[in-house]
Amino acid sequence: MLFRNASIRRLFLLTLAGSTGMIVLTSILIHSLYTHYLISEVEAQTLRIAEHFGAELEWYEGEANIAEYIRDEASRIRSHFRLDRLRFYAADGHLIYSTEESMGQIIDKKSRIRDFTNLMLPHALLLEPDQKNREGEPVTHAQVEVYLAVVGEERVIGIVEAFFDVTDRLAKLDRIYMVFTVILTSITLGFILVATWALGGADRNITLREEAEENLKRMNESLEAQVAQRTADLASVNEKLIEEIREHKAVSAELARNQEMLRKITSAARDAIVMTDSHGHITFWNEGAQRIFGFAPGEIVGDPVHSIIVPERYQAEALEGFARFRETGSGPIVGREFDITAVRKNGEEFPVTLSVSPVRLDDQWHAVAIVRDETDRRRVQLALWESMSRFRTLFEESLNPVVLFHRNSGKPYDANLRALTLFGITKQDFLEKGLDGFLGEPDRNRFRAHLLQGEESTGFVMENSEFRLNDESVLFMSVHGRTIQLEGEAMVYCTIHDHTEQLRLQHNWNRSMQQLIQSEKMTFLGTMVSGFAHDINNPNQLISVNLPLIDKIWADLRPVIELHHKNQPRTRIGGLSVPLLLERMPEILEDMRSGSDRIAAFVHGLVDFAKDEQLAARQNVNINHTVENVLRLLKHKIRNSTDHFTKSLAASIQAVSGNPQQLEQVVLNLLTNALESLPSRDRAVSVTTEFHPEAGTVKLIVRDQGVGMPPETKRRAFEAFYTTKQESGGTGLGLAIVALFVKEHGGTVIFESELGQGTTAVLSLPVV
């Protein structure tokens, strides 16, 4: 490489490029100047020719005379001015004379040559060999073609076109250009050599300086690296020292925390924590030890443990065992828990649980003992044992049969002697079979459900359940169950009460009372029912008799109304539009017919109320169908009472045995009361049916968001003639009839109510 320094190389290349450019530009400039000089010279000669012709041809008239003069002068002019060719055109551009045979050429008046001649300026054109002239003819040698107007004193005589042969002149120009180029190139090369020598010296100086700077830089960097390495080493040592100090502080802090934690743990521990050295002297005594034994740490630390807190009768044995522990770190009580007796400061002996662990310190065995005061636990165990003894005594000596079952599994646990005697079985039979063999399937399922539910607060009661004993005798007994905790496990404690004789007496008494009540009912209701039957049935008969006639009238009027509606579509009848009337009228007539039938059924129900209910017909009834029938009867009342009525009927439900009309009356009364309790239409009413196969019952649930019942009203809800709706015509018989009918069907009805929130009625009936 010529130069090592990049700046010198760039400067050299810049100098070389500048010198070359100067040569090229100078050559172009010389060529341009000489060409301009040559054309100017030719134009000047052409101008003298034009002035000569203008002066001589001023007095000539006609193209023939002009052409003759020019022909005579052409040879002299060509020789004098060294012309190659000569042409002369008339003022209109018509060729008059030419040294060649190209006559008849006309200059276009719109051409650029015409523009130059109009301005009286020469128009010169340098033509190189192989180029074409104005007529499109190839040029064989270098020449200059010039146009110029020939002007007299008063007019333009014509246009002269002269062709000058400039081959020699251009050759001379080439020689001059070559000589100048050689001289200029030599000068430039000399300048480049001088510049190269000068730049080479500068490059060497710069290279030496850069190498010196580079060496200095490397030395500086090496020194800085050494300083940085030493600094990093010192920083690393410093960081390690700081880290060691930090770790030492952390270890010290952790040790302090651990010591504080140990102190707090040992202080908070309710058990006594005692540590002894290899001689059996106490070295640590926590607050739990002070609380249990009565000694403060200052009173006992440093004293032998065996002679202070171990009863005197056990001290010799304890010292013998500690001597073996001192040698081996093991012993009969090491690593195990033992129940022993200890002594308090006041001399009182008390039970404790002792656990001893060995600790190796300074190549000697030390002992850590944890002592737990068992006084309270022993007292609780004794009380529990006494309680279990009392419970067992009460359980076995109870006047009633008592049985126990596991709450979670329902398995039998125990039975007292009276229960075993009542059922005629052994305790092993009871533990294997329980009471399942004595109960019918519905009662057995209900009993199992109660055992698994295990109501802890209120318990459960199964009234008058039928038990069939091994001798085929039948007893009617009630089972009262509640959950108790026995030996840490939840048990169901069941007492059995035999009501067979009581029920027999109750049945006889009920029959007597029923006969008496029936007699009173017949006496009281006979007149009232006959009056009701007369007062209600007579108007109802009119309705039922006239309804078929109204059906016929409607059938005849319907086509007339439809025809009238076609002619008068805006007609309204009874405030209803004709399409709505046509849609609703059959429904209205059906509602009237159903209402009339319902009135008759209601009157019939009152009559049945006064009759002996043993005569009432019973059949299998689907409670869902009963609800649907009642909802059809109450649809107008529902529509007028609430905007939020819902029903949810069980998809699969078993039938109940009963009187369909009585059950419909029950559902009707419950729903009517719910609807009439609503304070506004935005409150809701719902009716739901459920089937409980495990209990063998069907439930009807009527919920409302009405005003609710106060406790007094709820208590007297089923009392005959008690009503809170005297102002609206309430008779107080609705719920009394409900209670009577439900009881006759072997069911129950329960009310849950909260003032301002609403009431829920739950009707439960046994399935077939």
Side-chain angles (χ1 to χ4, degrees):
M1 186 178 292
L2 185 59
F3 302 106
R4 298 175 61 183
N5 185 267
S7 299
I8 297 299
R9 287 198 301 272
R10 286 194 296 271
L11 182 59
F12 172 75
L13 293 175
L14 183 60
T15 302
L16 183 60
S19 300
T20 305
M22 185 178 67
I23 293 173
V24 174
L25 290 176
T26 305
S27 300
I28 294 173
L29 178 61
I30 292 173
H31 186 274
S32 298
L33 290 176
Y34 187 79
T35 302
H36 180 70
Y37 167 74
L38 178 61
I39 291 175
S40 297
E41 181 182 1
V42 172
E43 287 179 346
Q45 291 177 357
T46 305
L47 185 57
R48 288 198 298 274
I49 294 171
E51 289 176 352
H52 172 73
F53 281 148
E56 295 296 333
L57 295 176
E58 176 69 24
W59 314 105
Y60 285 79
E61 297 290 342
E63 293 180 3
N65 295 330
I66 294 173
E68 183 180 357
Y69 174 79
I70 293 174
R71 194 166 34 249
D72 293 341
E73 290 290 323
S75 298
R76 186 182 65 82
I77 291 175
R78 288 179 64 187
S79 175
H80 180 73
F81 291 103
R82 290 183 296 179
L83 294 177
D84 185 35
R85 288 177 293 168
L86 179 65
R87 294 176 185 173
F88 193 88
Y89 298 88
D92 59 358
H94 183 73
L95 181 62
I96 296 176
Y97 172 79
S98 174
T99 58
E100 300 170 315
E101 296 300 328
S102 56
M103 297 295 291
Q105 295 294 329
I106 298 175
I107 300 176
D108 186 1
K109 292 181 180 181
K110 295 181 180 180
S111 67
R112 191 179 177 198
I113 297 175
R114 171 66 67 182
D115 294 338
F116 276 95
T117 56
N118 288 342
L119 294 174
M120 305 302 174
L121 296 175
H123 175 67
L125 180 63
L126 176 62
L127 300 174
E128 298 286 345
D130 297 330
Q131 291 184 339
K132 292 183 180 181
N133 59 14
R134 184 176 64 83
E135 288 80 12
E137 301 169 346
V139 177
T140 59
H141 55 273
Q143 61 183 10
V144 176
E145 181 181 1
V146 183
Y147 295 87
L148 185 62
V150 177
V151 183
E153 292 183 359
E154 296 181 357
R155 63 189 176 92
V156 176
I157 300 173
I159 300 172
V160 63
E161 180 181 11
F163 295 86
F164 294 87
D165 186 358
V166 294
T167 302
D168 295 338
R169 298 180 187 180
L170 290 179
K172 181 180 179 181
L173 173 62
D174 291 338
R175 289 193 296 273
I176 295 172
Y177 175 73
M178 183 62 68
V179 172
F180 179 78
T181 301
V182 171
I183 295 172
L184 186 59
T185 302
S186 300
I187 295 172
T188 302
L189 290 175
F191 175 75
I192 291 173
L193 291 174
V194 173
T196 302
W197 176 78
L199 291 175
D203 180 61
R204 287 191 297 274
N205 293 334
I206 292 173
T207 302
L208 292 175
R209 187 180 66 181
E210 288 179 349
E211 290 177 351
E213 290 177 352
E214 183 67 24
N215 293 331
L216 182 61
K217 181 179 179 181
R218 283 197 296 269
M219 293 176 63
N220 185 49
E221 290 177 351
S222 176
L223 182 60
E224 289 179 353
Q226 293 178 4
V227 172
Q229 182 63 37
R230 293 296 180 87
T231 304
D233 293 342
L234 291 175
S236 176
V237 172
N238 186 51
E239 288 178 359
K240 290 180 179 179
L241 182 59
I242 293 174
E243 183 64 24
E244 290 178 359
I245 294 173
R246 187 182 297 113
E247 290 178 357
H248 177 71
K249 290 182 178 179
V251 170
S252 300
E254 183 67 20
L255 180 60
R257 283 194 299 271
N258 291 338
Q259 291 176 346
E260 179 65 17
M261 186 181 300
L262 178 62
R263 188 191 66 80
K264 290 182 178 180
I265 290 174
T266 55
S267 298
R270 297 186 58 82
D271 295 339
I273 301 176
V274 181
M275 187 172 182
T276 66
D277 58 15
S278 59
H279 301 287
H281 294 163
I282 297 173
T283 59
F284 180 81
W285 185 267
N286 74 334
E287 294 179 4
Q290 179 179 350
R291 182 174 57 255
I292 291 174
F293 292 98
F295 293 99
E299 297 178 284
I300 199 167
V301 171
D303 293 340
V305 65
H306 302 95
S307 61
I308 298 178
I309 63 175
V310 178
E312 186 175 354
R313 61 184 179 276
Y314 300 129
Q315 289 182 5
E317 182 181 356
L319 289 172
E320 181 182 352
F322 189 80
R324 185 165 62 252
F325 169 81
R326 179 179 179 182
E327 297 296 330
T328 64
S330 62
I333 65 172
V334 175
R336 301 169 59 188
E337 286 190 355
F338 274 87
D339 292 332
I340 62 173
T341 302
V343 181
R344 302 188 197 272
K345 182 179 180 179
N346 59 8
E348 175 191 357
E349 294 188 1
F350 63 101
V352 298
T353 298
L354 174 66
S355 173
V356 178
S357 300
V359 178
R360 189 75 171 174
L361 297 176
D362 297 331
D363 203 28
Q364 292 181 336
W365 289 108
H366 297 241
V368 176
I370 298 178
V371 183
R372 179 173 299 162
D373 189 350
E374 298 291 351
T375 303
D376 293 337
R377 186 171 68 87
R378 297 283 178 84
R379 187 182 299 115
V380 171
Q381 287 178 340
L382 179 61
L384 180 61
W385 181 83
E386 292 176 351
S387 175
M388 286 296 297
S389 298
R390 288 194 297 271
F391 171 79
R392 179 57 60 179
T393 300
L394 293 174
F395 176 74
E396 295 293 346
E397 300 299 329
S398 174
L399 297 177
N400 292 317
V402 181
V403 292
L404 288 170
F405 291 86
H406 294 274
R407 191 190 72 178
N408 294 330
S409 62
K411 293 182 179 180
Y413 176 75
D414 201 357
N416 68 353
L417 182 61
R418 287 187 179 274
L420 299 176
T421 302
L422 174 66
F423 293 109
I425 57 176
T426 64
K427 183 170 291 189
Q428 184 63 31
D429 293 335
F430 172 76
L431 294 177
E432 292 177 357
K433 301 178 181 179
L435 301 180
D436 289 351
F438 303 103
L439 289 168
E441 185 174 356
D443 288 334
R444 183 166 61 246
N445 292 336
R446 283 198 301 154
F447 186 63
R448 287 177 179 173
H450 286 311
L451 290 180
L452 295 178
Q453 291 173 0
E455 296 89 342
E456 297 185 21
S457 56
T458 59
F460 69 90
V461 177
M462 288 179 56
E463 292 285 359
N464 301 329
S465 298
E466 182 178 320
F467 287 81
R468 189 172 297 277
L469 305 184
N470 292 332
D471 60 359
E472 298 300 326
S473 61
V474 177
L475 298 179
F476 293 94
M477 297 183 286
S478 63
V479 181
H480 296 246
R482 67 179 184 276
T483 300
I484 64 172
Q485 292 293 326
L486 184 64
E487 297 180 351
E489 185 179 355
M491 299 285 180
V492 181
Y493 182 91
C494 301
T495 57
I496 301 174
H497 303 272
D498 186 358
H499 298 302
T500 305
E501 184 64 22
Q502 180 182 356
L503 287 176
R504 185 183 64 78
L505 296 175
Q506 181 69 31
H507 179 69
N508 293 336
W509 184 83
N510 285 343
R511 290 191 61 183
S512 300
M513 290 300 298
Q514 186 175 11
Q515 292 175 356
L516 179 61
I517 292 173
Q518 186 69 19
S519 176
E520 292 294 329
K521 283 168 59 179
M522 293 302 296
T523 302
F524 174 74
L525 293 179
T527 303
M528 186 174 67
V529 168
S530 62
F532 281 169
H534 182 271
D535 293 340
I536 295 175
N537 273 336
N538 287 344
N540 191 49
Q541 286 293 332
L542 293 176
I543 295 173
S544 61
V545 169
N546 290 327
L547 274 175
L549 178 60
I550 295 175
D551 284 336
K552 294 179 180 180
I553 293 173
W554 171 246
D556 295 337
L557 282 178
R558 185 182 182 99
V560 177
I561 293 174
E562 291 176 348
L563 180 61
H564 180 76
H565 177 62
K566 292 180 180 179
N567 299 326
Q568 300 291 335
R570 300 176 63 85
T571 301
R572 301 181 70 84
I573 300 176
L576 301 176
S577 64
V578 172
L580 183 59
L581 178 65
L582 295 176
E583 178 186 353
R584 295 285 303 278
M585 194 62 187
E587 183 181 344
I588 293 172
L589 293 175
E590 181 61 30
D591 289 347
M592 293 172 62
R593 185 177 295 103
S594 299
S596 176
D597 294 342
R598 193 63 208 169
I599 292 173
F602 178 73
V603 173
H604 188 267
L606 289 177
V607 175
D608 288 343
F609 180 72
K611 292 180 181 178
D612 187 354
E613 296 301 336
Q614 298 295 328
L615 301 178
R618 287 179 175 263
Q619 55 183 300
N620 291 343
V621 180
N622 187 318
I623 199 67
N624 285 350
H625 297 165
T626 302
V627 173
E628 295 286 3
N629 293 338
V630 172
L631 292 180
R632 279 195 294 271
L633 294 174
L634 291 178
K635 62 181 176 180
H636 291 299
K637 188 174 185 65
I638 293 171
R639 187 182 304 157
N640 295 329
S641 300
T642 178
D643 294 329
H644 305 283
F645 182 83
T646 58
K647 69 174 180 178
S648 176
L649 305 183
S652 176
I653 195 167
Q654 193 166 336
V656 300
S657 176
N659 186 308
Q661 289 185 344
Q662 290 182 352
L663 293 178
E664 285 187 10
Q665 189 67 48
V666 169
V667 177
L668 178 69
N669 289 355
L670 293 177
L671 276 173
T672 301
N673 285 347
L675 293 170
E676 291 179 351
S677 70
L678 301 180
S680 61
R681 294 178 59 85
D682 59 349
R683 297 296 184 94
V685 173
S686 66
V687 58
T688 305
T689 59
E690 298 176 352
F691 176 44
H692 297 269
E694 71 281 355
T697 59
V698 168
K699 288 187 178 181
L700 171 73
I701 304 170
V702 179
R703 293 186 178 88
D704 66 69
Q705 295 179 348
V707 296
M709 292 188 294
E712 177 63 17
T713 301
K714 181 179 177 182
R715 185 179 65 82
R716 302 183 60 185
F718 299 114
E719 184 178 325
F721 303 109
Y722 175 78
T723 181
T724 60
K725 299 183 288 186
Q726 295 90 343
E727 297 179 357
S728 58
T731 62
L733 292 176
L735 292 181
I737 293 175
V738 168
L740 179 64
F741 288 170
V742 171
K743 184 176 181 181
E744 290 177 353
H745 285 77
T748 60
V749 60
I750 301 173
F751 283 104
E752 297 177 0
S753 184
E754 185 177 352
L755 278 176
Q757 301 297 321
T759 301
T760 299
V762 181
L763 169 64
S764 180
L765 296 171
V767 299
V768 177

